Amino acid sequence: MADKNFLIVGLGLSGLAICEELEKRGLSFTVFEDHSQKSSLVAGGIFNPVILKRFTLAWEADKQMSYSIPYYKELERKLHVQFLHFWNIYRRFHSVEEQNDWFIASDKEKLKPFLDTSLEKIQNQNISSDYSFGKVNHTGNVDTELMIASYRSYLQSMGNINMERFKYEDLKIEDSGITYHGGIYENIIFCEGFGINQNPFFQYLPLRGNKGEYITIHAPDLKLEKAIKASVFIMPMGNDRYKVGATYDNHDKTPDITKGSREKLEKELRKVVKCDFEVIGQVAGIRPATIDRKPLVGRHPEYRNLFCCNGFGSRGVLIAPVMAKKLIDYIQNDHQLEAEIDLARFTPKYFNA
């Protein structure tokens, strides 16, 4: 007989959401987390349903918003910590044509709630703009570092987490259950982000990864109170500090910050702001991006009690809670996963490897 229902590997956005879903259902679990993956911790944590380059709705973003925002509010109440913040994003226009495209997009049914039709001027002498700004409604950010740290403390108080590296070679898999370091579990769910590439059970999945870097600047003269999306994203953090990003690199898979990315962000930032600034911080993480830009959720093609919940790319804040619910519904209630998210779409690759 199993000691617990689930063994969870990884406590980023995915692992946290899985834990919450299991706890809601009265299911027992243990988490293994070793801090090897940083993308959830260094992420901007921004929730924005609109792709601001093309003024289109991100995949399933309206449904994700309606589910995930209440999820985070409830989690705040549970942890007695505020990490959910609401503010508008202001998209800088570069031409009259872009402004017209904005109005056309705002007339579409699914985009109406998010794209404000009242164009705005930002009265700030240190912000360069020849045109207006479009306001995106119902956006904000989750302080992912605070949230995950708080949740880790919560799990520690419950005795449900082990802060150590998970050793795949010590895992024993049988139809009757999973055995690991003396514990017996009914199922195991891997929520390792880009680290899944080192997982012998799921490394066949086409998780290409996408490296992102942010810089933090100190700019006492900027006095910007709004989040701006131009060639870079500028997010006020208080005390004259701003988060600026992010880069997208499909080639560099190292976790280290780079001089080239910092210089690129500084160069783009100078196109937007006119005042001096000082770079006071820089972070990097590998986003778990897939080749088809859809999540990787479901069961291993050979082992019935091995599962994966991964591949959320840069929109993990909105996607993770929804995917966690879908996966546990699939495991516990045999609810079918949609083909576009089911990792079974890559099963032929596994058998042809």
Side-chain angles (χ1 to χ4, degrees), residues 12-249:
L13 292 171
S14 175
L16 191 157
I18 289 289
C19 291
E20 270 300 280
E21 195 62 37
L22 294 175
E23 190 167 83
K24 287 177 184 176
R25 300 170 190 236
L27 298 169
S28 57
F29 60 88
T30 294
V31 179
F32 278 80
E33 166 61 36
D34 67 355
H35 294 304
S36 62
Q37 300 303 311
K38 304 292 185 182
S39 61
S40 291
L41 293 174
V42 305
I46 298 166
F47 52 89
N48 167 30
V50 183
I51 299 174
L52 291 175
K53 186 176 181 179
R54 300 186 295 272
F55 308 150
T56 56
L57 191 72
W59 172 75
E60 298 280 296
D62 51 342
K63 297 177 183 178
Q64 293 159 10
M65 286 280 291
S66 64
Y67 182 83
S68 296
I69 300 305
Y71 158 89
Y72 288 118
K73 289 180 178 179
E74 180 60 31
L75 190 55
E76 281 187 321
R77 289 190 286 270
K78 173 179 176 175
L79 299 177
H80 306 290
V81 177
Q82 183 182 4
F83 51 76
L84 179 66
H85 306 283
F86 293 92
W87 36 262
N88 301 116
I89 296 174
Y90 290 81
R91 167 57 153 86
R92 187 179 72 159
F93 296 124
H94 300 91
S95 66
V96 173
E97 288 75 20
E98 271 199 337
Q99 292 182 174
N100 292 337
D101 291 341
W102 177 275
F103 282 118
I104 292 171
S106 66
D107 199 40
K108 296 179 180 179
E109 194 62 33
K110 289 191 173 184
L111 286 168
K112 278 183 179 179
F114 306 113
L115 300 186
D116 201 304
T117 55
S118 300
L119 300 186
E120 301 202 18
K121 290 282 188 181
I122 291 182
Q123 304 297 326
N124 187 314
Q125 62 181 2
N126 288 312
I127 295 294
S128 174
S129 179
D130 295 326
Y131 300 91
S132 299
F133 289 77
K135 184 173 71 170
V136 188
N137 295 315
H138 310 301
T139 57
N141 78 297
V142 172
D143 186 334
T144 54
E145 185 172 9
L146 175 60
M147 178 182 71
I148 292 173
S150 300
Y151 202 80
R152 187 190 311 122
S153 297
Y154 169 74
L155 292 180
Q156 288 172 331
S157 71
M158 303 285 286
N160 286 346
I161 188 168
N162 289 290
M163 302 304 297
E164 59 185 72
R165 183 177 71 86
F166 185 83
K167 298 178 180 179
Y168 306 106
E169 63 272 18
D170 294 347
L171 187 67
K172 295 181 180 180
I173 308 168
E174 298 177 350
D175 285 342
S176 57
I178 300 286
T179 302
Y180 184 76
H181 288 191
I184 303 174
Y185 308 87
E186 294 176 6
N187 303 287
I188 182 169
I189 304 177
F190 291 100
C191 306
E192 302 165 287
F194 188 65
I196 201 105
N197 283 330
Q198 304 301 316
N199 184 317
F201 304 104
F202 288 107
Q203 62 187 178
Y204 73 93
L205 293 172
L207 194 72
R208 63 183 182 182
N210 183 298
K211 185 173 182 176
E213 297 189 51
Y214 281 88
I215 58 173
T216 301
I217 65 167
H218 182 241
D221 296 329
L222 184 52
K223 304 303 179 188
L224 179 65
E225 297 179 352
K226 302 178 185 297
I228 289 178
K229 175 64 175 76
S231 54
V232 290
F233 193 93
I234 309 171
M235 184 172 76
M237 299 173 65
N239 299 318
D240 298 322
R241 296 178 303 126
Y242 303 85
K243 199 166 191 174
V244 180
T247 60
Y248 290 81
D249 189 333

Side-chain angles (χ1 to χ4, degrees), residues 285-352:
I286 310 294
R287 306 177 186 92
T290 60
I291 59 172
D292 61 2
R293 300 186 179 183
K294 298 295 190 301
L296 298 168
V297 181
R299 175 182 274 119
H300 188 274
E302 285 192 80
Y303 301 108
R304 59 174 298 277
N305 41 15
L306 265 67
F307 300 87
C308 174
C309 192
N310 207 325
F312 306 155
S314 61
R315 296 183 178 270
V317 164
L318 286 180
I319 295 176
V322 179
M323 292 303 113
K325 182 179 186 305
K326 288 179 180 290
L327 179 58
I328 304 306
D329 276 342
Y330 170 68
I331 298 171
Q332 293 296 115
N333 305 319
D334 202 27
H335 288 186
Q336 193 66 34
L337 292 170
E338 295 93 333
E340 62 183 345
I341 67 169
D342 193 336
L343 59 80
R345 66 193 188 274
F346 297 113
T347 294
K349 180 177 178 179
Y350 172 82
F351 288 109
N352 294 329

